[in-house]
Structures are given as C-alpha cells and as structure tokens.
Amino acid sequence: MAELDWTQAGAPRRSLADSLLLRLPRVIDWEALITLGLLLLAVTAVTVPLEEGGWSKQMPPLTTVGVAGIIAAMLLARSRLRFYVAWPLGIVVGAGVVFWQVLVMAGPGDLEDRLVSVHDRFGAWFDVAFSNAVTNDSLPFNTLVISLTWLGVFIFAWSVYRWHNAWIGLVPGGAALVLDLVLVGDQLTGAVVLYMLCGFLLVMQTNLLSQMGRWRQGGAQYPALINVTFLHMSLWALVAVMAVAWIVPVGPYNTPAPIQGVFDEITTVGRDFVRLAGPLRSHKVVPVHSYSGVLPFQGSVNLGERELLSVRITDPNVRGPLLLRGAVYDRYEGGGWTTGDRREVPFPPSAAEAVRDAVSNKELEGLVVPLEITLEAKSVVGTVIFTPGVPIAVSQKLQAEVPAGSTNAVKPRLPTRGWKLSDEKVMREYLASQEIGLQVLRDAYGAVLKVEVVRLDERGVLGEAVLLNPGERIKRHRSYNVTGFVSTASADDLREAGDHYPRWITQEYLQLPYGVPDRVRNLAEQLATAEPTAYDRAKALETYLRQYPVDYQVEDVPPGRDTVDYFLFESRRGYFDYHASAMVVMLRTLGVPARLAVGLVGEEDDIDTETGRFMLRDRNVYAWPEVYFPGSGWVAFNPSPDRPADLRPTARASALDDDRILRRSLLDDLPVSSSEGAFVPPEGVEVHPLPEGGLPLSSNGGSSRPWVVSAITAFLAAIAGAVFLGWQRSVAGMPYPQQVWEKTVRLATWGGLPPEPGQTPHDYAGRLGKRFRGVRGWRDLADAYTASLYGRREIGEKDAGHLREIWPDARGAMLRGVLRRPLRREPRSRR
C-alpha cells in the first residue's frame, strides 16, 4: 500500500509558521497575499502612467480607486456570495467610490454646492455632445475614466480570485496601456514591462492555484511555498522571452501593417473624441494639433525636440522662413475649433503648367516654393500633406477636402433625360471642362435633375481645397515633393481688394457661436472700427495681440467660459492657438472673413548646417489666422509675438528677374493641382525623381553594434546555464533511478500528462507507454524507481547503464510532447 503514496513521498513536514498561516482566515492566506501583491503591481503599472502621462491636469487618483477595487473584488470573490449577489454589490460599492471622487473634483463648496455644480456641468456637457461643439470641462471625462478604472480592476481581481483566470482580467488593463501608448505616452517602456511581468506571473499563479485546489480536493499534499518556486522559474523564463523579443529583427517599418492599422484607427477615434474630453494634454501622437476634424484648446503644453519633418527647398533662389499649412478650421465653438461640413474632391489633371504660364506673364504676384519633405517620426504629421502657401503640385496621390458651401448644383446638357446613363458617365462626359462632378441628383423615375460640382478656374485649378489627404498615413523616412504658391501681394493691393465677398465665404467664415461675450466684440470695435479697410483692421488687431506674452504653461480655462474671452480679459497670456483664435474671432465680429490654420513653421535657426535642410520639431508646431481678400484669396497673419509677423519666404536678389515674383490679379485663391501624383517642378529647377513608394530608409539608422549582440548572447547563455544548474540541483542527492523518474514525471507533466492521485508508478508508466508508443522501457524506469525508493537497494552498474540507454529516447519524446502541447487539443478529464 505504500506504493499508492509515491507522489507524496517527498513532501516536507510543515513548519510552525506554515501551520499558523493555514489557521488564518481564507481571505488572507499565503497564496492570496502573493496574488494580491502581483495584482497591485499590475494595476499600478497602468494607473500611474495614466495619472502622470498627461491626459488631464485634473486627472483623479486612479491608483487609489484601483486599490479600492482590488480589495473589494478580493473580499467578494473569496466570500461565499453567489455571482448574482456579489457583482451588484461590487457595482454599488464602485458607484459610491465614483460619486465620492466626482464630489471631490466638483469642489469647492459644501455638499449642496457641489451637487448643483455637478448637475449643471453635466447638463452643459450633454448640450455640447449633441450639438457637435467642443467642451472645456474635463469633469465628465474624468468621471468616465474613474468608472472604467473601477470596472476594469474589479473584473481583473474577480477573474483572478474567483475564476482563477488572469487572461480575462488582463485585457482591460492592456487596452488602457495601448490607448495611453498610442495617444499620449512617450516613455511607457517601464510600465509595459512591469505589466507584462506581473501578468505573466499572474497567469502562472492562477493556474497553480487552480491545480492546488484540485490537489486539496483529492487529499494530495504538495510542498509548502510551491508557488514561490514556480514564480522564480516563471520570472526567469519571462526574462529570457523578453530578451529574445528585444533582439529579434522587426522588419523595415518596425510595426506590422495590421497592427499599425489598428493603431491608426485608435488614433483617429481618439482625435475625434477629444472634443468631449475637455482640455487634454498630449505628448505624442497629438502633440498640440491633430489635423483632424476637432481642435480643442489644451491648456498647458510641452513642446519638445522630437524631429517631425525635414524639409529641403529645391530651388536655390528661395530662402526661408517657411509656413507649412496642414489643416484649416472653420467653426469656433468656445472650447475649441471644428472643421465644419466638408466634401472630398478628386484632383483634376495637372494645372501646374498653366500656373507657371500665368507667373511668366506677370499675372500673379507671389513666390513659387518647391520643397522635398521627409517624415522623421511616426506621428500625425503623416496624415496630411503640408504645403507652403497654396499648393500647385504634389508628388502624392491625393483627395482634397473642400467646404460643402463651395459646391454648386448644375443642370448638365444630356441627349436624353439620363435614365440609362450611369452617374460616372454623366460626370465624365456631360460636364464642362472646368467642373468636377461629386454627386448626380435624380428624380423618383431615375431622370437626372442636377449634378453637384466643384468649379475650377480657367486654368483648371481647384480653388477651395482646405486639406490634402494622402489616404494612408505616410510612413516614417518616406518623402514627397510639394510646390506651393505664396502670395506677396503688397499692403496697398490688399487695401484695394474691397469687401465684396462671395456669399458662401460670408456664410462659412463669419460664424460665431451663441454666447460669445459682448466685451470681445466691443474690444474689437474699439481697436479696429476706425480703420478704413479690412487689411488695416486685421493689422490693428495683429499689432494689439502681439502685446500678449507667450506662455506654454497656462491654466485651463474654467468650465463654461469662452476661451477667447478668458484669454483676452482674464489670463492675458497664452501661445499661438490662443493668439490666432482671438484674432479670427475678433475679425469675424467685425464682418471680416477669417479662419484658423495650423501646421509647422521653420526659420533660419532651424536649418541643419550639415544638410542644409529645415529640421522641424515639436517646438515648430504653430497656428495662425488667414484672412480672405477678394482677388487675393487667403493671406496669413501672425499675432503671436514669439515669431516675426511676416513669415513668408523670400527670393534672392538674383531671382527677382526670374519671373517668380509677379503681379497677382487673376486667381482668386490658387489651390492644389495634381495629375495622378505627377510632380511638375518650376521651370529651370532640376528635381531628381523619387523611387516608387518614396525614399528608402535612412542608412544611418541601422548601424550594427557587435558589443550589444555579444552582451545579449552572453546574457542568454547565463540564463540557459542557470536553468540547467537549477534543473540538476532540484534532483541532486537522489539515487540515479529516482533522479530519472523525477525528471520523467516533470517532463510528462509539462507535456500535459501528469500522474493522477492514487496512481502507482507502474500504472503511470503504462499511461506513458500509451502516449509515447515509439519508446520502450517505461516499465523499466518504474521498476528501478520503486526498487530504489521502497527497497532501499543500490543500483548496479549494469542496471544504471540500461537506464542511461533508455533515458535519451524517453526524454526526447517527452520534450517533443512539451513543444506540441500548445497545438494539441487537450481531452476533458474524466470525473
């Protein structure tokens, strides 16, 4: 009968301390304390970066909420309450914690004052949510973050303690880290490593606890502190895996296309969500501007030295500065900007030749600026095409966005009523050469009524493009060429432009939200009403606003306050977003059409002396107002005092006779043109064609470092040696037959074939023989083991040699079983 207890023969006697621990309540037993420590580390690896990573200045104490969630889930999961009782109780407790934190954030004041504040602020937030406006109140967003933190942590801890399954609970925390990594965090390596480490150990711990529960039910004993041993082994295994993952090549673009697609989609959703989140602080994908449909005011910002774009002027006769526009915003909403209604328009055939002819004939006054732009960072700067002034040629296939109000409905001349003509045929063959069809409108019988179009000017130029969308994000180290036209119209020319604006311009670019304080309008009238022309009014406001100092560490605008009003009369300091927005809003109160442009600015100090290229960094992000002048289009101003008021590039003296600076009188607003991505350089400028797909990767970024490879190789060798020594040490001191049997049991167990409680060694050997049919000698291993363990008999040299012959084949078969286990579907155990 002693043979029935062979799986428990090596179990040590429990110490007095272990016996005392076992007498403690089940909630705080040794295994629960280890699990609690791992849970706390995993949760803080997520909550601390969220608190300190820059999401919001008033970010609530998520770590406190997370710890409370862990304790509540642990107590409920280890109690005898049923699931349908424990979970509602946990939700009630969580609602109490969230409500407590909301009252703290809503202060100051007594309880009644805070309750009224919460009611009013949430009511205002819902009004913003359903009106497509932008909020500057972060309370609802912070409430959502607290609620999701409690829910995620509660699911995490419950799944670990009640279900002994860490995988379910790891998903919410992993998703939070991914969002933080994609949208905000620059330096999350430590948090990711800690979360992976704790998650890996929790998976091991929960599997072991589940196995230990089955052992207890079967009356089997196991070594004290067995989970500490497994944690030690798992830790070193994880270190080895992470070291291998660190040195494995990742390919030319660092991120596989499907994963990058998921990241891009998260980025897009996140950028559109910010209008409801209040003043967020971002340091990575959305440093200040996202070039998406929403531009909220962010309060304090940190503009770093991360390289975004390198720009080369390919015409030696043109010199900086450069003002590169990425996007335009039309609608002011008090807490930020939105783009308004837009339509996507395909580009017409190239009109660059016609533009160059107009320049040569002295019909345009301006400067043609050809650039080669290379992306230096994986950022939102790859989601748009940057242009100096108004683009006239781009080496990238594009879709342009135009204001919906700039489109027209025309009646095409059709041979019939168009019943049998497809929409594509109507727009391709029956429109004027200066019209781009967008949509065919038909009656209930299918007859063509009208076609929605965008009109080009007489040179085939699209005049209302406000954003150039390359489709897919342009990857890091890729390049494109763009040529822009920068107006050099004189002050006298702009004074003579008059105020006969197109109707759609006044409808689109005089918009102001209800509730802009009267004192904003009064200040604008006080400063500029006496000026005779729109240009003089714009210059008066620009000069006044340049007296407001630049400050990147401004306080958040109080909830419910208009940002421009607060900037002009309360804080009286800010950065480019505030200065430019104030000028646009004040001009609109005076009846002058204006809009907000965002992008990058480069000056002579940003030129790399070795390459001669502008190196534009996060600190080069900028915003400026653009004012509409009939006959001259949109003209940039700069009310921010940190840079010169005039940011237009200039031409060398020898280039003044180069027919580039000429009279502008024909084009209302010269926009982009393209012919299926064909780049047409200015006359006389030699531009080498780009290879398909852009420039290759930089050759100086992949230099090999042999010492790094050697160090990692030595580290992996040390890990392998430590594992081998640990394996040998675990059976040291045992007779050779017992060593072989112990190794056999371990390898077979890792391969999914553990011994069952009450099973004899010979029965177990029979099971091994059925699993590994190509190996003989399992019974000989069991015979030698039982003779050594129970017969206390030393093995002879002949028998030892026989075991040495059997063991390599048996070991190889079991190792193959371990490797195949993830691919094998485990059969259900019989109960």
Side-chain angles (χ1 to χ4, degrees), residues 106-376:
D110 55 21
L111 178 60
E112 182 179 358
D113 294 335
R114 298 189 183 197
L115 290 174
V116 171
S117 175
V118 170
H119 176 271
D120 293 343
R121 291 168 70 174
F122 269 86
W125 184 86
F126 279 108
D127 291 340
V128 169
F130 289 103
S131 63
N132 201 33
V134 183
T135 183
N136 61 359
D137 190 354
S138 59
L139 178 63
F141 173 76
N142 291 341
T143 303
L144 175 64
V145 172
I146 296 175
S147 303
L148 292 178
T149 299
W150 177 273
L151 182 62
V153 170
F154 188 86
I155 292 174
F156 194 2
W158 177 276
S159 64
V160 168
Y161 282 109
R162 176 64 68 94
W163 297 330
H164 296 308
N165 188 331
W167 288 110
I168 299 175
L170 287 170
V171 172
L177 272 181
V178 168
L179 288 175
D180 196 20
L181 183 67
V182 173
L183 298 176
V184 177
D186 263 330
Q187 303 295 332
L188 288 180
T189 303
V192 172
V193 170
L194 181 60
Y195 191 73
M196 290 176 57
L197 174 65
C198 295
F200 187 84
L201 297 180
L202 276 171
V203 171
M204 186 284 307
Q205 174 79 349
T206 52
N207 288 335
L208 180 60
L209 290 177
S210 179
Q211 183 63 39
M212 290 166 63
R214 289 193 290 268
W215 288 343
R216 283 192 290 265
Q217 291 178 2
Q221 298 183 9
Y222 48 87
L225 304 182
I226 186 175
N227 48 358
V228 176
T229 302
F230 273 79
L231 285 173
H232 177 263
M233 296 176 60
S234 300
L235 174 63
W236 285 106
L238 177 62
V239 169
V241 170
M242 294 179 66
V244 172
W246 184 266
I247 64 174
V248 168
V250 294
Y253 304 122
N254 296 331
T255 305
I259 298 178
Q260 184 61 48
V262 173
F263 275 29
D264 292 344
E265 187 64 26
I266 293 175
T267 303
T268 301
V269 174
R271 293 200 308 265
D272 293 337
F273 176 74
V274 294
R275 74 180 185 89
L276 301 177
L280 299 182
R281 287 165 172 75
S282 304
H283 306 302
K284 187 182 180 182
V285 174
V286 191
V288 177
H289 305 140
S290 66
Y291 311 107
S292 66
V294 180
L295 178 66
F297 291 102
Q298 296 191 30
S300 298
V301 295
N302 297 315
L303 302 181
E305 294 294 324
R306 181 182 53 158
E307 297 177 350
L308 299 177
L309 299 176
S310 64
V311 181
R312 181 172 68 92
I313 301 178
T314 57
D315 185 348
N317 295 315
V318 179
R319 63 176 63 184
L322 291 176
L323 199 60
L324 301 181
R325 187 176 67 194
V328 170
Y329 292 91
D330 312 325
R331 301 187 61 82
Y332 176 68
E333 302 293 350
W337 291 84
T338 61
T339 56
D341 294 333
R342 298 282 177 87
R343 295 296 305 273
E344 284 195 347
V345 180
F347 271 101
S350 175
E353 190 67 31
V355 173
R356 286 205 307 274
D357 291 342
V359 171
S360 300
N361 295 331
K362 302 183 183 298
E363 297 170 344
L364 299 176
E365 184 180 4
L367 189 66
V368 175
V369 184
L371 304 177
E372 178 190 89
I373 299 177
T374 303
L375 272 73
E376 302 294 343

Side-chain angles (χ1 to χ4, degrees), residues 328-565:
V328 170
Y329 292 91
D330 312 325
R331 301 187 61 82
Y332 176 68
E333 302 293 350
W337 291 84
T338 61
T339 56
D341 294 333
R342 298 282 177 87
R343 295 296 305 273
E344 284 195 347
V345 180
F347 271 101
S350 175
E353 190 67 31
V355 173
R356 286 205 307 274
D357 291 342
V359 171
S360 300
N361 295 331
K362 302 183 183 298
E363 297 170 344
L364 299 176
E365 184 180 4
L367 189 66
V368 175
V369 184
L371 304 177
E372 178 190 89
I373 299 177
T374 303
L375 272 73
E376 302 294 343
K378 186 185 297 183
S379 172
V380 292
V381 295
T383 61
V384 296
I385 297 295
F386 288 89
T387 65
V390 183
I392 57 177
V394 183
S395 65
Q396 190 84 18
K397 292 184 178 181
L398 301 171
Q399 286 283 331
E401 292 184 6
V402 300
S406 65
T407 63
N408 297 280
V410 299
K411 178 69 174 179
R413 295 182 178 180
L414 302 175
T416 65
R417 298 195 65 185
W419 291 294
K420 298 181 179 181
L421 297 176
S422 66
D423 290 355
E424 292 76 11
K425 187 176 182 64
V426 171
M427 292 188 291
R428 184 176 65 251
E429 299 182 8
Y430 295 97
L431 294 178
S433 60
Q434 304 300 316
E435 295 173 342
I436 298 179
L438 302 179
Q439 182 182 11
V440 177
L441 306 176
R442 299 176 182 266
D443 62 16
Y445 301 98
V448 175
L449 296 176
K450 291 185 178 182
V451 179
E452 185 181 11
V453 301
V454 172
R455 286 197 174 96
L456 311 176
D457 69 6
E458 63 273 15
R459 298 175 185 82
V461 173
L462 181 62
E464 288 81 27
V466 292
L467 184 140
L468 304 182
N469 183 4
E472 297 182 355
R473 181 196 294 264
I474 302 175
K475 296 181 173 62
R476 185 183 181 189
H477 297 308
R478 299 286 177 158
S479 299
Y480 58 87
N481 294 86
V482 59
T483 300
F485 179 89
V486 178
S487 172
T488 57
S490 66
D492 290 338
D493 292 334
L494 297 178
R495 288 188 178 97
E496 295 174 0
D499 56 2
H500 298 291
Y501 306 114
R503 182 177 179 182
W504 78 269
I505 288 287
T506 57
Q507 291 177 342
E508 190 76 24
Y509 295 109
L510 292 180
Q511 170 273 338
L512 287 173
Y514 175 79
V516 173
D518 291 337
R519 60 180 180 175
V520 175
R521 185 186 306 272
N522 295 337
L523 178 61
E525 293 176 349
Q526 177 185 347
L527 294 171
T529 299
E531 300 295 338
T533 66
Y535 173 79
D536 293 312
R537 289 192 283 273
K539 290 301 292 185
L541 296 180
E542 179 188 57
T543 302
Y544 175 77
L545 290 171
R546 289 180 68 84
Q547 302 176 37
Y548 282 65
V550 172
D551 186 359
Y552 295 105
Q553 302 302 316
V554 296
E555 295 294 327
D556 292 345
V557 178
R561 295 289 302 276
D562 182 86
T563 303
V564 167
D565 174 78

